[in-house]
Amino acid sequence: MTNESRPTVYDVVIVGAGPSGAVAAKRLAEEGMSVICLEQGGYPDYTKLRHSGLEFELTKQQYFAANPNRRRAPADYPINVSDSDIEPLMWNGVGGSSVLYAAAWHRLKPSDFRVRTVDGIADDWPLNYAELEPFYARVENDFAVSGVGGDPAYPPGFDIPLPPFPLGAMERKFATAHDRLGWHWWPGSNSIATVKHNGLLPCVRRGACVWGCFDGAKASVDRTHWPTCLKLGVKLVQNARVLRVETGSDGLATGVTYVDRETGLTHFQPGRIVIVSANGLGTPRLLLNSASNDHPNGLANSSGLVGKRLMMHPYGTVSGLFDDFFENWQGPYGQRAYSLEFAETRKETNFYRGAKWQLMGMGGPLASVGTWPWGSNGDVWGENFHATVQKRFGRSAYWGIMAEDLPSEDNMVSLDPAVTDAEGMSAVKITYKASQNTMDLLDFNLARAAESMKEAGAYEVSGTPLMRETGWHILGTVRMGNDPRTSVVDSFGRSHDVSNLFIMDGSVMPTSGAVNPTGTVTALALRNSEAIIENRRLQPVSTAAEALKVGL
Amino acid sequence: MTYNIDDFQTRIAWVADALIPSDAKSGMPSATEAGVPERLLPRALKERDDLAPSFFRALSRLPETQPEDPMDAICALGADDFHTISFLIAGAYFLDEEINRKLRYPGQEALHETPDYDEIMETIERVQSRGPVYVDVPDSPESV
Ligand SMILES: Cc1cc2nc3c(=O)[nH]c(=O)nc-3n(C[C@H](O)[C@H](O)[C@H](O)COP(=O)(O)OP(=O)(O)OC[C@H]3O[C@@H](n4cnc5c(N)ncnc54)[C@H](O)[C@@H]3O)c2cc1C
Ligand code: SF4
């Protein structure tokens, strides 16, 4: 039941306070638009992280676990993963998954926007690298990206605003190994401040990044964007679970219905424009849950593609053991280095596209007897215990292999009406199978990464081809394109069906690239926000009776 | 239901040493020698009070005194209980400062190092000299 008669009508209602919602909120508010953001969770409580003592490893997963099905915090919603090879990971609260992200920062390459043209498969994007480039540069400054510019894996002009981290013994091993192999290698680029920047402090390298950065150096938008947004007058409503995007009789969006999770009361929040930034799972969930008589298959879904083409960057690992003792447990955690040597389609292989490799920290002694990145830990106990710790702790490294995922309509997000969250909203079910292309791609890259490990001096190498709890990047489920029959939104995130409804998050990506997506997702959000500002006088808004009733 | 750690001390001792025995070669103590049952595990359980109920529930399914093959008995609890027990025992063991000193683990330190920019430049110049590694497509910046 809606129990509010005349709430304020905002120019823009945003669903989700993660990076995409925050970038849009900030830019639109800077132009004087009135903005309200509804977020199903609250602010992260970083004091719950025991980041500096020996308790760190034991406690890091307690509050800041990345898998919502394990975490089961009140803001989370159940995700049925019984038919999925990969489990999606996220943080539901102010800051979104940037609270937990490793902050490895990338742009897509030019060919990622042209997969059909280059390889004859999947799709081209309705925009290209050159069009997105200026927006990449702007978000890279806002997100305090540190590293080294001039990477030959990108066209000239990818400058990095903040200085890099020092090279350590681990990075040096691989730099010289790749010199000998003639392969690409580059110092890590991360949205982690190395000097004071945009409200962030310089990173002290404690390596808590993926469990929440207590030290205030990682660019999570609760730190980089929300303080400015609030100063600009954006209203942020926490613990507001949005159930539906509502439309009027003219077919335009009138606002959203949400439940205040603290009071249990349902409200209607009207707005002239609605932006959904709820991520590749939350966004299709909300659109499908917004079905009505006028659009029985879900809102904005005349193409039938809402929820389809889920991509999650299948991930494998290659670990190596070394004789010498070197620091491998500090941050950033975050990539220390990466290789894009095998990121493009190659003539000699039996698969399309490629992978990014990232060189990551290994953690402390407790991690050395865990499953990550080793695959399993069944045989490390008892008489093997000390030998395992001696071999791994301070004497190991791993390449994370992030595979480009190709879109398939069989991989999808759907509603799971049998299960609801605490507010009665349908949960989601994901159906996802790694394709033969993915398995071949991973096999090839694991074999090459094993060569890299050996060249770097590893005396023993092991690999795990497809890790299950690695769905950090949830992409493709509300794809953009120029043709309303084959896409849900246009190249500016505007719904083909509902012209005052915008989608801004990774769900719009027609293909996934092989790199971490937040640079692209936020550059798109900024580009789309600029388009909204430019077109604001021409923007259709609902004049339907439902909207008039609440003062539109 | 609340559990009292004192009621489980016998079980904890054999379980902990089955998972972490002593090792003469590396000079590392067993879990009980390191003080897991009485000193470190209570600390670990306080830190991870969320795991404590499942830890004690799993322990209560094990025999009071050490069976013939202790590892088999712990494994027979199933993957989830095995994980809870082994994670907490190892987590407690690695709370000990002396053990970390022996492993040369200083904990997650706050580091404030300045990069050696000359070294970084020399390293990347070698990579740059090998040429571009991206595919140029018709609408990449050069050709737009
Ligand atoms: C552990 C982890 C590591 C990662 N590492 C990297 C990395 O190294 N580099 C990288 O580029 N990316 C990384 N990512 C991905 C990165 O976090 C995402 O790309 C980024 O957060 C996407 O931003 P977003 O705003 O589009 O979505 P999100 O950050 O997911 O934010 C969506 C927000 O919407 C809210 N929401 C959803 N549904 C509703 C609803 N119905 N009502 C109200 N609110 C709702 C959610 O609570 C959430 O706060 C990682 C992610 C995880 C989980
Ligand atoms: S390593 Fe840096 S970014 Fe990561 S948690 Fe520590 S201070 Fe934050």
Side-chain angles (χ1 to χ4, degrees), chain B residues 25-57:
Chain B
K25 200 168 142 218
S26 60
M28 297 302 283
S30 70
T32 51
E33 284 163 359
V36 165
E38 72 285 359
R39 187 169 58 88
L40 300 167
L41 186 62
R43 256 176 77 194
L45 288 167
K46 205 164 147 216
E47 296 290 350
R48 292 304 305 261
D49 53 358
D50 56 320
L51 296 179
S54 40
F55 175 74
F56 288 118
R57 261 199 312 276

mmCIF file of all heavy atoms in Angstrom, chain B residues 25-57:
data_model
loop_
_atom_site.group_PDB
_atom_site.id
_atom_site.type_symbol
_atom_site.label_atom_id
_atom_site.label_comp_id
_atom_site.label_asym_id
_atom_site.label_seq_id
_atom_site.Cartn_x
_atom_site.Cartn_y
_atom_site.Cartn_z
ATOM 1 N N LYS B 25 61.366 -30.886 11.283
ATOM 2 C CA LYS B 25 62.215 -30.351 10.211
ATOM 3 C C LYS B 25 62.220 -28.809 10.209
ATOM 4 O O LYS B 25 63.266 -28.178 10.149
ATOM 5 C CB LYS B 25 61.682 -30.878 8.876
ATOM 6 C CG LYS B 25 62.695 -30.825 7.775
ATOM 7 C CD LYS B 25 62.235 -31.611 6.557
ATOM 8 C CE LYS B 25 62.662 -30.866 5.313
ATOM 9 N NZ LYS B 25 61.714 -30.912 4.245
ATOM 10 N N SER B 26 61.011 -28.233 10.282
ATOM 11 C CA SER B 26 60.944 -26.767 10.237
ATOM 12 C C SER B 26 60.929 -26.156 11.636
ATOM 13 O O SER B 26 60.928 -24.934 11.774
ATOM 14 C CB SER B 26 59.694 -26.338 9.470
ATOM 15 O OG SER B 26 58.538 -26.849 10.122
ATOM 16 N N GLY B 27 60.884 -26.996 12.643
ATOM 17 C CA GLY B 27 60.861 -26.484 14.012
ATOM 18 C C GLY B 27 59.536 -25.846 14.388
ATOM 19 O O GLY B 27 59.470 -25.039 15.325
ATOM 20 N N MET B 28 58.487 -26.196 13.670
ATOM 21 C CA MET B 28 57.181 -25.592 13.967
ATOM 22 C C MET B 28 56.429 -26.446 14.987
ATOM 23 O O MET B 28 56.411 -27.679 14.884
ATOM 24 C CB MET B 28 56.340 -25.462 12.691
ATOM 25 C CG MET B 28 56.922 -24.544 11.634
ATOM 26 S SD MET B 28 57.210 -22.857 12.211
ATOM 27 C CE MET B 28 55.549 -22.228 12.192
ATOM 28 N N PRO B 29 55.795 -25.807 15.960
ATOM 29 C CA PRO B 29 55.073 -26.561 16.993
ATOM 30 C C PRO B 29 53.739 -27.086 16.479
ATOM 31 O O PRO B 29 53.189 -26.579 15.497
ATOM 32 C CB PRO B 29 54.833 -25.508 18.069
ATOM 33 C CG PRO B 29 54.786 -24.209 17.321
ATOM 34 C CD PRO B 29 55.721 -24.361 16.145
ATOM 35 N N SER B 30 53.234 -28.073 17.177
ATOM 36 C CA SER B 30 51.876 -28.537 16.875
ATOM 37 C C SER B 30 50.888 -27.504 17.413
ATOM 38 O O SER B 30 51.269 -26.575 18.149
ATOM 39 C CB SER B 30 51.622 -29.881 17.543
ATOM 40 O OG SER B 30 51.537 -29.679 18.946
ATOM 41 N N ALA B 31 49.617 -27.715 17.078
ATOM 42 C CA ALA B 31 48.588 -26.769 17.538
ATOM 43 C C ALA B 31 48.546 -26.708 19.066
ATOM 44 O O ALA B 31 48.487 -25.620 19.643
ATOM 45 C CB ALA B 31 47.232 -27.157 16.969
ATOM 46 N N THR B 32 48.618 -27.856 19.723
ATOM 47 C CA THR B 32 48.538 -27.801 21.199
ATOM 48 C C THR B 32 49.817 -27.209 21.780
ATOM 49 O O THR B 32 49.765 -26.430 22.722
ATOM 50 C CB THR B 32 48.265 -29.190 21.824
ATOM 51 O OG1 THR B 32 49.197 -30.117 21.299
ATOM 52 C CG2 THR B 32 46.863 -29.676 21.561
ATOM 53 N N GLU B 33 50.961 -27.543 21.185
ATOM 54 C CA GLU B 33 52.215 -26.940 21.674
ATOM 55 C C GLU B 33 52.180 -25.412 21.536
ATOM 56 O O GLU B 33 52.732 -24.688 22.357
ATOM 57 C CB GLU B 33 53.414 -27.487 20.887
ATOM 58 C CG GLU B 33 53.802 -28.907 21.296
ATOM 59 C CD GLU B 33 54.691 -29.600 20.249
ATOM 60 O OE1 GLU B 33 54.995 -28.991 19.192
ATOM 61 O OE2 GLU B 33 55.042 -30.752 20.468
ATOM 62 N N ALA B 34 51.509 -24.950 20.494
ATOM 63 C CA ALA B 34 51.440 -23.497 20.280
ATOM 64 C C ALA B 34 50.420 -22.830 21.202
ATOM 65 O O ALA B 34 50.361 -21.606 21.277
ATOM 66 C CB ALA B 34 51.074 -23.212 18.828
ATOM 67 N N GLY B 35 49.614 -23.634 21.861
ATOM 68 C CA GLY B 35 48.634 -23.041 22.787
ATOM 69 C C GLY B 35 47.272 -22.804 22.159
ATOM 70 O O GLY B 35 46.503 -21.947 22.618
ATOM 71 N N VAL B 36 46.975 -23.572 21.085
ATOM 72 C CA VAL B 36 45.668 -23.366 20.439
ATOM 73 C C VAL B 36 44.501 -23.623 21.404
ATOM 74 O O VAL B 36 43.645 -22.749 21.576
ATOM 75 C CB VAL B 36 45.536 -24.205 19.140
ATOM 76 C CG1 VAL B 36 44.079 -24.281 18.668
ATOM 77 C CG2 VAL B 36 46.395 -23.600 18.039
ATOM 78 N N PRO B 37 44.438 -24.799 22.080
ATOM 79 C CA PRO B 37 43.206 -25.080 22.828
ATOM 80 C C PRO B 37 42.896 -24.046 23.906
ATOM 81 O O PRO B 37 41.777 -23.551 23.989
ATOM 82 C CB PRO B 37 43.465 -26.460 23.448
ATOM 83 C CG PRO B 37 44.496 -27.084 22.562
ATOM 84 C CD PRO B 37 45.353 -25.954 22.087
ATOM 85 N N GLU B 38 43.892 -23.706 24.727
ATOM 86 C CA GLU B 38 43.538 -22.865 25.874
ATOM 87 C C GLU B 38 43.747 -21.373 25.632
ATOM 88 O O GLU B 38 43.067 -20.541 26.212
ATOM 89 C CB GLU B 38 44.295 -23.324 27.138
ATOM 90 C CG GLU B 38 45.780 -23.034 27.200
ATOM 91 C CD GLU B 38 46.609 -23.961 26.294
ATOM 92 O OE1 GLU B 38 46.052 -24.854 25.608
ATOM 93 O OE2 GLU B 38 47.832 -23.776 26.256
ATOM 94 N N ARG B 39 44.670 -20.986 24.734
ATOM 95 C CA ARG B 39 45.018 -19.576 24.609
ATOM 96 C C ARG B 39 44.510 -18.951 23.306
ATOM 97 O O ARG B 39 43.894 -17.887 23.308
ATOM 98 C CB ARG B 39 46.552 -19.439 24.683
ATOM 99 C CG ARG B 39 47.078 -18.018 24.738
ATOM 100 C CD ARG B 39 48.564 -17.998 25.083
ATOM 101 N NE ARG B 39 49.372 -18.754 24.127
ATOM 102 C CZ ARG B 39 49.896 -18.244 23.006
ATOM 103 N NH1 ARG B 39 49.705 -16.978 22.708
ATOM 104 N NH2 ARG B 39 50.610 -18.992 22.188
ATOM 105 N N LEU B 40 44.751 -19.615 22.183
ATOM 106 C CA LEU B 40 44.490 -18.976 20.890
ATOM 107 C C LEU B 40 43.069 -19.215 20.382
ATOM 108 O O LEU B 40 42.443 -18.317 19.814
ATOM 109 C CB LEU B 40 45.505 -19.481 19.850
ATOM 110 C CG LEU B 40 46.969 -19.194 20.212
ATOM 111 C CD1 LEU B 40 47.914 -19.980 19.310
ATOM 112 C CD2 LEU B 40 47.256 -17.692 20.078
ATOM 113 N N LEU B 41 42.561 -20.424 20.580
ATOM 114 C CA LEU B 41 41.209 -20.708 20.063
ATOM 115 C C LEU B 41 40.132 -19.852 20.740
ATOM 116 O O LEU B 41 39.233 -19.352 20.039
ATOM 117 C CB LEU B 41 40.902 -22.199 20.177
ATOM 118 C CG LEU B 41 39.586 -22.635 19.527
ATOM 119 C CD1 LEU B 41 39.583 -22.368 18.014
ATOM 120 C CD2 LEU B 41 39.322 -24.123 19.776
ATOM 121 N N PRO B 42 40.180 -19.650 22.052
ATOM 122 C CA PRO B 42 39.173 -18.754 22.633
ATOM 123 C C PRO B 42 39.191 -17.364 21.989
ATOM 124 O O PRO B 42 38.141 -16.769 21.750
ATOM 125 C CB PRO B 42 39.579 -18.692 24.117
ATOM 126 C CG PRO B 42 40.304 -19.980 24.369
ATOM 127 C CD PRO B 42 41.013 -20.292 23.089
ATOM 128 N N ARG B 43 40.402 -16.886 21.646
ATOM 129 C CA ARG B 43 40.486 -15.579 20.963
ATOM 130 C C ARG B 43 39.845 -15.651 19.579
ATOM 131 O O ARG B 43 39.097 -14.770 19.160
ATOM 132 C CB ARG B 43 41.957 -15.196 20.779
ATOM 133 C CG ARG B 43 42.427 -14.125 21.743
ATOM 134 C CD ARG B 43 43.915 -13.880 21.541
ATOM 135 N NE ARG B 43 44.209 -13.077 20.360
ATOM 136 C CZ ARG B 43 45.438 -12.948 19.829
ATOM 137 N NH1 ARG B 43 46.458 -13.567 20.381
ATOM 138 N NH2 ARG B 43 45.623 -12.192 18.768
ATOM 139 N N ALA B 44 40.162 -16.743 18.873
ATOM 140 C CA ALA B 44 39.629 -16.893 17.514
ATOM 141 C C ALA B 44 38.099 -16.991 17.542
ATOM 142 O O ALA B 44 37.405 -16.395 16.702
ATOM 143 C CB ALA B 44 40.222 -18.129 16.847
ATOM 144 N N LEU B 45 37.584 -17.708 18.525
ATOM 145 C CA LEU B 45 36.124 -17.866 18.600
ATOM 146 C C LEU B 45 35.439 -16.565 18.990
ATOM 147 O O LEU B 45 34.301 -16.300 18.598
ATOM 148 C CB LEU B 45 35.764 -18.969 19.597
ATOM 149 C CG LEU B 45 36.069 -20.393 19.110
ATOM 150 C CD1 LEU B 45 35.985 -21.381 20.266
ATOM 151 C CD2 LEU B 45 35.101 -20.794 17.993
ATOM 152 N N LYS B 46 36.149 -15.730 19.738
ATOM 153 C CA LYS B 46 35.582 -14.422 20.083
ATOM 154 C C LYS B 46 35.539 -13.539 18.829
ATOM 155 O O LYS B 46 34.552 -12.846 18.565
ATOM 156 C CB LYS B 46 36.458 -13.775 21.159
ATOM 157 C CG LYS B 46 35.719 -12.774 21.993
ATOM 158 C CD LYS B 46 36.500 -12.459 23.247
ATOM 159 C CE LYS B 46 36.238 -11.008 23.589
ATOM 160 N NZ LYS B 46 37.362 -10.316 24.151
ATOM 161 N N GLU B 47 36.609 -13.620 18.056
ATOM 162 C CA GLU B 47 36.635 -12.834 16.808
ATOM 163 C C GLU B 47 35.558 -13.320 15.843
ATOM 164 O O GLU B 47 34.931 -12.527 15.166
ATOM 165 C CB GLU B 47 37.999 -12.973 16.109
ATOM 166 C CG GLU B 47 39.183 -12.411 16.869
ATOM 167 C CD GLU B 47 39.168 -10.895 16.936
ATOM 168 O OE1 GLU B 47 38.351 -10.270 16.238
ATOM 169 O OE2 GLU B 47 39.972 -10.353 17.712
ATOM 170 N N ARG B 48 35.399 -14.631 15.730
ATOM 171 C CA ARG B 48 34.438 -15.188 14.775
ATOM 172 C C ARG B 48 33.277 -15.842 15.525
ATOM 173 O O ARG B 48 32.990 -17.024 15.358
ATOM 174 C CB ARG B 48 35.130 -16.196 13.849
ATOM 175 C CG ARG B 48 36.123 -15.593 12.885
ATOM 176 C CD ARG B 48 35.547 -14.495 11.998
ATOM 177 N NE ARG B 48 34.361 -14.894 11.243
ATOM 178 C CZ ARG B 48 34.391 -15.261 9.964
ATOM 179 N NH1 ARG B 48 35.526 -15.285 9.307
ATOM 180 N NH2 ARG B 48 33.278 -15.580 9.333
ATOM 181 N N ASP B 49 32.611 -15.042 16.337
ATOM 182 C CA ASP B 49 31.481 -15.593 17.100
ATOM 183 C C ASP B 49 30.378 -16.105 16.172
ATOM 184 O O ASP B 49 29.577 -16.958 16.543
ATOM 185 C CB ASP B 49 30.941 -14.570 18.110
ATOM 186 C CG ASP B 49 30.613 -13.239 17.458
ATOM 187 O OD1 ASP B 49 30.842 -13.102 16.238
ATOM 188 O OD2 ASP B 49 30.135 -12.337 18.165
ATOM 189 N N ASP B 50 30.376 -15.599 14.907
ATOM 190 C CA ASP B 50 29.391 -16.092 13.943
ATOM 191 C C ASP B 50 29.622 -17.565 13.611
ATOM 192 O O ASP B 50 28.677 -18.289 13.292
ATOM 193 C CB ASP B 50 29.438 -15.244 12.660
ATOM 194 C CG ASP B 50 30.838 -15.209 12.023
ATOM 195 O OD1 ASP B 50 31.835 -15.116 12.777
ATOM 196 O OD2 ASP B 50 30.927 -15.290 10.782
ATOM 197 N N LEU B 51 30.883 -18.019 13.688
ATOM 198 C CA LEU B 51 31.181 -19.413 13.330
ATOM 199 C C LEU B 51 31.146 -20.346 14.538
ATOM 200 O O LEU B 51 31.159 -21.576 14.376
ATOM 201 C CB LEU B 51 32.575 -19.514 12.685
ATOM 202 C CG LEU B 51 32.780 -18.794 11.354
ATOM 203 C CD1 LEU B 51 34.219 -18.985 10.873
ATOM 204 C CD2 LEU B 51 31.812 -19.328 10.297
ATOM 205 N N ALA B 52 31.139 -19.766 15.750
ATOM 206 C CA ALA B 52 31.273 -20.596 16.955
ATOM 207 C C ALA B 52 30.182 -21.672 17.058
ATOM 208 O O ALA B 52 30.506 -22.847 17.302
ATOM 209 C CB ALA B 52 31.298 -19.715 18.198
ATOM 210 N N PRO B 53 28.904 -21.360 16.861
ATOM 211 C CA PRO B 53 27.894 -22.414 17.011
ATOM 212 C C PRO B 53 28.122 -23.594 16.071
ATOM 213 O O PRO B 53 28.051 -24.758 16.491
ATOM 214 C CB PRO B 53 26.572 -21.700 16.685
ATOM 215 C CG PRO B 53 26.851 -20.249 16.939
ATOM 216 C CD PRO B 53 28.292 -20.048 16.599
ATOM 217 N N SER B 54 28.459 -23.311 14.794
ATOM 218 C CA SER B 54 28.651 -24.448 13.880
ATOM 219 C C SER B 54 29.939 -25.193 14.217
ATOM 220 O O SER B 54 30.028 -26.415 14.013
ATOM 221 C CB SER B 54 28.611 -24.026 12.405
ATOM 222 O OG SER B 54 29.271 -22.835 12.216
ATOM 223 N N PHE B 55 30.928 -24.495 14.764
ATOM 224 C CA PHE B 55 32.169 -25.155 15.183
ATOM 225 C C PHE B 55 31.865 -26.179 16.288
ATOM 226 O O PHE B 55 32.261 -27.344 16.197
ATOM 227 C CB PHE B 55 33.145 -24.089 15.687
ATOM 228 C CG PHE B 55 34.426 -24.623 16.253
ATOM 229 C CD1 PHE B 55 35.419 -25.128 15.421
ATOM 230 C CD2 PHE B 55 34.659 -24.612 17.620
ATOM 231 C CE1 PHE B 55 36.611 -25.620 15.945
ATOM 232 C CE2 PHE B 55 35.849 -25.100 18.155
ATOM 233 C CZ PHE B 55 36.829 -25.607 17.311
ATOM 234 N N PHE B 56 31.147 -25.751 17.312
ATOM 235 C CA PHE B 56 30.858 -26.671 18.427
ATOM 236 C C PHE B 56 29.898 -27.783 17.995
ATOM 237 O O PHE B 56 30.038 -28.929 18.423
ATOM 238 C CB PHE B 56 30.301 -25.901 19.625
ATOM 239 C CG PHE B 56 31.353 -25.078 20.325
ATOM 240 C CD1 PHE B 56 31.249 -23.694 20.407
ATOM 241 C CD2 PHE B 56 32.466 -25.691 20.894
ATOM 242 C CE1 PHE B 56 32.227 -22.951 21.042
ATOM 243 C CE2 PHE B 56 33.452 -24.953 21.536
ATOM 244 C CZ PHE B 56 33.335 -23.573 21.608
ATOM 245 N N ARG B 57 28.943 -27.428 17.133
ATOM 246 C CA ARG B 57 28.027 -28.471 16.636
ATOM 247 C C ARG B 57 28.811 -29.556 15.907
ATOM 248 O O ARG B 57 28.575 -30.749 16.101
ATOM 249 C CB ARG B 57 26.988 -27.854 15.698
ATOM 250 C CG ARG B 57 25.640 -27.577 16.372
ATOM 251 C CD ARG B 57 24.509 -27.414 15.350
ATOM 252 N NE ARG B 57 24.828 -26.525 14.250
ATOM 253 C CZ ARG B 57 24.709 -25.193 14.297
ATOM 254 N NH1 ARG B 57 24.265 -24.611 15.408
ATOM 255 N NH2 ARG B 57 25.008 -24.454 13.256
#
